[in-house]
Amino acid sequence: RIGTNIIELGDDPNPAEFAHELGHALGGKTRQAIIGNSAVRLSADAGRMLSVVLPLISVAHASDKSFSTKEELAAKAKAVSSLGMITAAMQVPVIAEEALASRTAVKLLEGAGASKTEALEMAAKRLAPAFATYAAPAAAPFVVASYLKRKAAQKPSRSTP
């Protein structure tokens, strides 16, 4: 926990997880102040939620024939992509901190005697899936925007009377 000198681990921690949490602790006062700021955490949490929910709503609406012309789908793709930039920006401090803590973890594992390969393997096995829980929501709007663009490209243009 930030500011408590306590490192919290799960029931079955491995060296990579311990090193990652230690990486947070060794992040310095600036990183700890940023990541410990409740507004930063709230923004990141809101960005994570919005980056998943709003694109899913767009996909649901894209299947409604009355709202899925080529032009409407292209507009939705653009809106979802713009939303993605905003929600990704909201999540940057937390995603960056997680990446930096994992980078530090690899260095700590090497310092503890693991080879570079062993340290990277441990990080890939335990830290990469955890990092994906931060990165995947940030990427979701861009995946959905790409889907909507492809769907729009497959539709004929609206004909004018």
Side-chain angles (χ1 to χ4, degrees), residues 1-4 24-25 27-45 93-94 97-98:
R1 281 182 241 159
I2 296 170
T4 65
H24 286 301
K29 291 195 182 294
T30 301
R31 276 177 44 197
Q32 289 176 8
I34 291 169
I35 207 65
N37 183 300
S38 61
V40 169
R41 295 301 270 187
L42 181 62
S43 175
D45 290 345
V94 171
E97 174 57 28
E98 293 302 325

Side-chain angles (χ1 to χ4, degrees), residues 75-87:
K76 285 178 189 169
K78 187 174 181 179
V80 169
S81 183
S82 296
L83 167 79
M85 288 189 239
I86 294 166
T87 58

Side-chain angles (χ1 to χ4, degrees), residues 12-72:
D12 187 24
N14 76 359
E17 291 170 27
F18 178 75
H20 174 86
E21 295 306 324
L22 193 54
H24 286 301
L26 296 172
K29 291 195 182 294
T30 301
R31 276 177 44 197
Q32 289 176 8
I34 291 169
I35 207 65
N37 183 300
S38 61
V40 169
R41 295 301 270 187
L42 181 62
S43 175
D45 290 345
R48 183 190 273 177
M49 189 236 354
L50 291 171
S51 67
V52 173
V53 172
L54 295 178
L56 289 177
I57 291 170
S58 292
V59 169
H61 283 213
S63 62
D64 181 347
K65 300 247 187 262
S66 62
F67 293 105
S68 61
T69 66
K70 179 178 188 135
E71 295 77 12
E72 289 165 335

